[in-house]
Amino acid sequence: MAQAANQELVDRFEEFYRRYYSDDVAELAREYPRESKSLELDWRDLYQMDPDLADDYINHPDQLQEAAEEALRLYDLPVDVSLGQAHVRVQGLTEHTEIREIRAEHLNTLVSVQGMVRKATDVMPKIERAVFVCQRCGAETEVPQGDAGFQEPYQCESCERQGPFKLDPDRSEFVDSQKLRVQESPEGLAGGETPQAIDIHIEDDATGEVTPGDHVTVTGVLRLDQSEDSTDSPVFDHYMEGSSVVVEDAEFEEMNITEEDKREIIELSDHEDIYEEMVDSMAPAIYGHRQAKLAMMLQLFSGVTKHLPDESRIRGDLHMLLIGDPGTGKSQMISYVQNIAPRSVYTSGKGSSAAGLTAAAVRDDFGDGQQWTLEAGALVLADNGVAAVDELDKMADDDRSAMHEALEQQKISISKAGINATLKARCSLLGAANPKYGRFDQYEPIGEQIDLEPALISRFDLIFTVTDSPDPEEDAALAEHILQTNYAGELNTQNEQLANANYTEEEIDSQTDEVAPAIEPELLRKYIAYARRTCFPTMTAEAKQAIEDFYVDLRSKGADEDAPVPVTARQLEAIVRLAEASARLRLSDTVEQEDADRVIAIVQSCLQDIGVDPETGEFDADVVETGQSKTQRDRVKNVKALIGEIEDEFDEGAPVEEVLDRAEEIGMDAGKAEHEIEKLKEKGELYQPNKDHLRSI
């Protein structure tokens, strides 16, 4: 009876292949087994032809998988073609199960989960059918192998003795196998939830296709696993026997945007004051910093990533740094961005190592305990999203330098424990740091107070300085805002915690409206995801001209031989990315002149704060790019040349007083010359043979 039922299933699958998959089966027959070993079957096609069969596939996957593969072997093909070991891999289930919602009822059923590959073992051979040779009589015994551990024969079938046995690897059958650990994607989580993970076992041609950091949809059967060290425990682990693993390249596919959401988003994008609304929705509890908030919003929308015909890639992601005094709300703004970004990872300086930011090679219980596996770090987990890094200045220099490649090339190359790999890190970085002395010193150039290496600083598209200086009007407005925010919070908390609150809903609403975001955070997340998924603006001639004029005009100031270089091509690319983000923010397909003007104002403001030589007042790219303005560099050259000349005239070296006197003669301030001498001594380019003399090294 069971055989008849099975035969009926096989016939139904054969009919399905003939109607829907005849071309695919023919292509598989041509490519089998060298290029392809599997027929990829879309569950929705099966449901369209036979809903009952499709539902049975979910509830009884083992029986139907067997029938589907048997139907493939019996399919009418040329005589010399056989699909003996071909697989049927089902994908495209209409409903996905959240990893955290997997329960006992899902056991031995077909489920589909989405997430990010956190770890992946190497592809290793796994024995499926073991052939043992008896060492006493030479007889062979065959033992099928499962997932329950390596099975040896109990006794020899010929001489009936209990061994010893030796495995014959040449006669045994092996299959490629790999284990993946898939973790929930950040965009599927509410703020602060710990992501959960599930282990996936895959075999044969499904292996070796993914790397840590990839976003995947895995379809397979949920199984039970009893760990070896707790065989007496009634609690079991679960894992998934993966049938198909599909890499999802599309951004934020997991964000469920309904038709109603789309209507709301498009209606919102038509608002005339959409930019003001966006700024009002960014960390409304923090007073002021409107330009920085607008820039952070543009960072969330990001520019367009371009792929050129020669396969090179120009990044669209914007990197931004907030550097400023303590207590100005930098960390709070960064945390807010992390909450509204559809995909984000937050980390803080002291708690982050180079391996934690990029990738770590670990040896643990995952795999067989002997192999090294790669574990994705924060920048890899933030792929296609935002990596928020607070307290950048508290990190060790070596750990910070791990970010350089991720920021510009947007990939991370790993060579650890014999593993050479390249992981994707296509994320925007939002960093926050304090100045060198904890607060900005108003009497020193800002560029000199940023204690980050110039190679890292130059990779940021925008650097905002957040200073805290007393101003009666601003302070009064700030105090009023903070008190209002706290009062609204008090009313809201009292209303939630007490049954007999003293205030009506209307009173509470009127107070909380003043500090509520203009756009609800959940709608804003969907708006950003929708814009990044569907909007790829191109530049109009007017916008191009406005950006070109600004860049050429600035560069022309550095045309004189002695003038500093005002800006570099990096700033030009930053303006282009910002202008594209500005167009995306209102869901426009074109970058207009208004977008160019808006972002030029932001870039000019940032350059004014940090990219200006404090002595000449001119824009100087070297202040950011190398940490030293052209004026400073020239002064250092002059001081070194002076010392070189003077030490030739004196036996003991160049007298300090003589150096300072001659510096003044050539128009150099003695105090600044002394400052440069101290710096050169710190760097080891000068030394003092005695108290009053200097020598070059």
Side-chain angles (χ1 to χ4, degrees):
M1 186 72 183
Q3 205 167 356
N6 274 352
Q7 188 53 49
E8 187 199 336
L9 285 175
V10 171
D11 293 343
R12 284 160 79 182
F13 272 110
E14 273 201 79
E15 172 65 18
F16 171 64
Y17 294 152
R18 272 196 292 275
R19 284 175 59 179
Y20 286 83
Y21 281 82
S22 56
D23 291 346
D24 298 82
V25 175
E27 190 178 344
L28 175 62
R30 279 195 303 276
E31 296 179 350
Y32 183 83
R34 286 183 176 279
E35 292 174 45
S36 178
K37 289 186 183 177
S38 301
L39 176 70
E40 289 177 353
L41 188 154
D42 194 310
W43 183 84
R44 288 163 294 199
D45 293 338
L46 189 60
Y47 188 83
Q48 195 173 338
M49 185 193 95
D50 192 336
D52 293 339
L53 189 63
D55 288 338
D56 285 346
Y57 213 128
I58 287 177
N59 298 318
H60 310 287
D62 295 334
Q63 185 188 357
L64 271 86
Q65 181 77 17
E66 201 178 308
E69 291 184 355
E70 182 63 25
L72 196 56
R73 281 189 279 278
L74 297 174
Y75 194 80
D76 190 16
L77 290 166
V79 180
D80 58 335
V81 177
S82 165
L83 296 175
Q85 299 292 317
H87 308 284
V88 173
R89 300 196 181 278
V90 179
Q91 58 192 51
L93 266 63
T94 49
E95 286 184 20
H96 300 299
T97 306
E98 297 288 337
I99 292 174
R100 65 180 54 238
E101 286 172 10
I102 289 175
R103 298 290 180 267
E105 67 195 50
H106 294 112
L107 287 173
N108 299 316
T109 65
L110 193 71
V111 291
S112 175
V113 297
Q114 289 185 317
M116 174 188 279
V117 178
R118 185 69 192 261
K119 295 185 192 178
T121 63
D122 291 343
V123 178
M124 306 290 283
K126 173 185 161 189
I127 196 161
E128 284 204 314
R129 189 178 64 83
V131 174
F132 293 91
V133 177
C134 176
Q135 296 293 284
R136 293 182 187 274
C137 68
E140 291 182 354
T141 306
E142 190 178 300
V143 182
Q145 302 290 321
D147 287 330
F150 187 58
Q151 304 291 323
E152 289 197 1
Y154 176 67
Q155 65 178 33
C156 174
E157 292 173 357
S158 178
C159 65
E160 297 186 349
R161 291 184 182 178
Q162 292 180 345
F165 297 100
K166 186 180 179 187
L167 178 71
D168 182 354
D170 295 338
R171 305 283 300 280
S172 303
E173 285 182 9
F174 292 85
V175 66
D176 290 331
S177 77
Q178 187 180 24
K179 281 172 74 174
L180 311 175
R181 183 162 290 165
V182 174
Q183 175 184 295
E184 291 174 304
S185 288
E187 65 265 34
L189 300 176
E193 282 185 350
T194 306
Q196 296 191 8
I198 186 169
D199 288 352
I200 316 282
H201 297 196
I202 52 176
E203 291 184 356
D204 210 3
D205 58 330
T207 58
E209 296 295 316
V210 295
T211 54
D214 284 343
H215 288 260
V216 293
T217 300
V218 185
T219 307
V221 183
L222 203 66
R223 303 288 192 202
L224 281 181
D225 180 29
Q226 189 169 27
S227 54
E228 289 172 21
D229 32 309
S230 58
T231 47
D232 55 347
S233 169
V235 179
F236 286 70
D237 291 332
H238 57 245
Y239 70 94
M240 189 193 272
E241 213 172 77
S243 171
S244 75
V245 180
V246 180
V247 179
E248 303 287 357
D249 266 344
E251 292 182 45
F252 315 129
E253 275 304 311
E254 289 180 38
M255 289 215 70
N256 185 21
I257 299 173
T258 62
E259 288 301 318
E260 189 183 334
D261 290 332
K262 278 185 196 172
R263 277 198 300 277
E264 253 185 286
I265 287 166
I266 290 162
E267 187 183 319
L268 190 58
S269 70
D270 290 335
H271 288 194
E272 273 188 32
D273 57 350
I274 180 67
Y275 291 93
E276 292 300 314
E277 286 182 49
M278 286 287 178
V279 172
D280 291 339
S281 305
M282 171 64 73
I286 302 289
Y287 176 74
H289 308 306
R290 293 189 71 80
Q291 205 163 47
K293 286 182 179 181
L294 174 59
M296 279 187 259
M297 199 54 89
L298 294 179
Q299 184 186 33
L300 287 172
F301 283 90
S302 110
V304 179
T305 300
K306 296 92 173 170
H307 298 277
L308 304 179
D310 63 353
E311 295 190 4
S312 58
R313 178 179 177 278
I314 301 173
R315 73 173 162 97
D317 297 301
L318 287 151
H319 303 313
M320 212 178 122
L321 178 65
L322 296 175
I323 189 154
D325 296 330
T328 45
K330 300 186 301 296
S331 297
Q332 225 170 318
M333 286 196 275
I334 281 190
S335 297
Y336 201 86
V337 166
Q338 189 239 341
N339 285 333
I340 59 171
R343 183 180 292 165
S344 63
V345 173
Y346 177 89
T347 179
S348 186
K350 267 292 182 200
S352 307
S353 65
L357 283 170
T358 55
V362 291
R363 180 186 267 172
D364 60 4
D365 59 338
F366 190 59
D368 59 3
Q370 301 301 312
Q371 294 296 316
W372 290 90
T373 57
L374 275 185
E375 185 162 356
L379 295 175
V380 179
L381 293 175
D383 186 40
N384 278 328
V386 176
V389 184
D390 202 359
E391 309 284 1
L392 256 179
D393 54 310
K394 311 291 187 299
M395 283 171 125
D397 292 349
D398 293 351
D399 297 337
R400 270 203 303 265
S401 65
M403 294 193 286
H404 292 194
E405 185 188 16
L407 291 186
E408 199 57 56
Q409 275 73 44
Q410 298 212 291
K411 64 183 193 316
I412 288 165
S413 306
I414 296 292
S415 292
K416 291 179 181 176
I419 300 171
N420 285 305
T422 302
L423 306 178
K424 300 185 189 90
R426 300 162 299 184
C427 62
S428 303
L429 186 86
L430 176 58
N434 292 116
K436 190 189 291 187
Y437 311 115
R439 295 183 74 86
F440 277 122
D441 180 345
Q442 57 182 332
Y443 301 110
E444 263 203 48
I446 281 179
E448 280 188 27
Q449 298 182 62
I450 297 175
D451 194 20
L452 300 174
E453 46 278 30
L456 180 66
I457 285 271
S458 69
R459 282 169 166 79
F460 286 100
D461 297 290
L462 289 174
I463 300 169
F464 282 94
T465 52
V466 189
T467 51
D468 178 21
S469 43
D471 177 321
E473 278 184 33
E474 279 293 300
D475 291 345
L478 173 64
E480 191 182 324
H481 180 82
I482 289 173
L483 292 168
Q484 175 62 38
T485 305
N486 278 276
Y487 181 59
E490 287 164 358
L491 294 184
N492 204 33
T493 307
Q494 189 188 75
N495 186 41
E496 283 174 7
Q497 302 294 334
L498 300 179
N500 54 343
N502 300 327
Y503 299 91
T504 64
E505 287 285 342
E506 289 75 30
E507 284 178 295
I508 293 168
D509 287 346
S510 70
Q511 294 299 324
T512 51
D513 274 353
E514 292 186 34
V515 292
I519 304 165
E520 284 296 313
E522 195 49 42
L523 177 62
L524 185 53
R525 290 182 86 205
K526 289 179 178 177
Y527 189 113
I528 294 164
Y530 180 77
R532 289 185 66 148
R533 203 192 285 178
T534 61
C535 195
F536 302 93
T538 53
M539 232 177 239
T540 59
E542 294 80 17
K544 276 189 207 165
Q545 195 60 49
I547 293 172
E548 187 182 322
D549 290 349
F550 170 69
Y551 179 70
V552 172
D553 182 49
L554 260 187
R555 291 279 294 184
S556 66
K557 292 174 183 169
D560 297 343
E561 196 177 316
D562 293 334
V565 176
V567 289
T568 63
R570 265 188 172 152
Q571 273 84 24
L572 178 62
E573 286 198 337
I575 296 169
V576 171
R577 285 190 278 270
L578 283 161
E580 289 164 354
S582 173
R584 248 184 183 174
L585 188 144
R586 57 171 203 280
L587 302 185
S588 168
D589 285 332
T590 52
V591 180
E592 305 292 341
Q593 184 168 349
E594 59 170 295
D595 297 307
D597 294 342
R598 183 176 295 111
V599 301
I600 283 169
I602 295 175
V603 170
Q604 247 176 333
S605 160
C606 286
L607 284 174
Q608 199 69 50
D609 281 348
I610 188 172
V612 170
D613 183 342
E615 293 175 43
T616 62
E618 292 179 1
F619 285 123
D620 185 351
D622 288 349
V623 174
V624 176
E625 301 265 339
T626 67
Q628 205 175 42
S629 68
K630 183 176 185 300
T631 318
Q632 270 179 303
R633 221 172 33 250
D634 291 347
R635 188 161 54 236
V636 170
K637 267 193 218 162
N638 291 340
V639 167
K640 282 173 79 176
L642 264 181
I643 293 168
E645 280 173 27
I646 297 169
E647 69 179 318
D648 291 341
E649 300 170 21
F650 296 85
D651 292 338
E652 291 182 316
V656 176
E657 291 298 324
E658 182 71 22
V659 173
L660 297 178
D661 288 346
R662 293 214 201 163
E664 283 193 315
E665 281 173 27
I666 60 168
M668 194 188 300
D669 182 78
K672 284 178 178 165
E674 205 166 353
H675 178 69
E676 298 306 341
I677 289 168
E678 287 304 315
K679 276 192 165 179
L680 287 166
K681 284 193 322 201
E682 279 173 30
K683 287 182 187 172
E685 293 184 32
L686 291 178
Y687 74 99
Q688 281 187 286
N690 56 48
K691 189 182 171 192
D692 299 321
H693 292 79
L694 296 166
R695 276 198 185 280
S696 304
I697 291 176

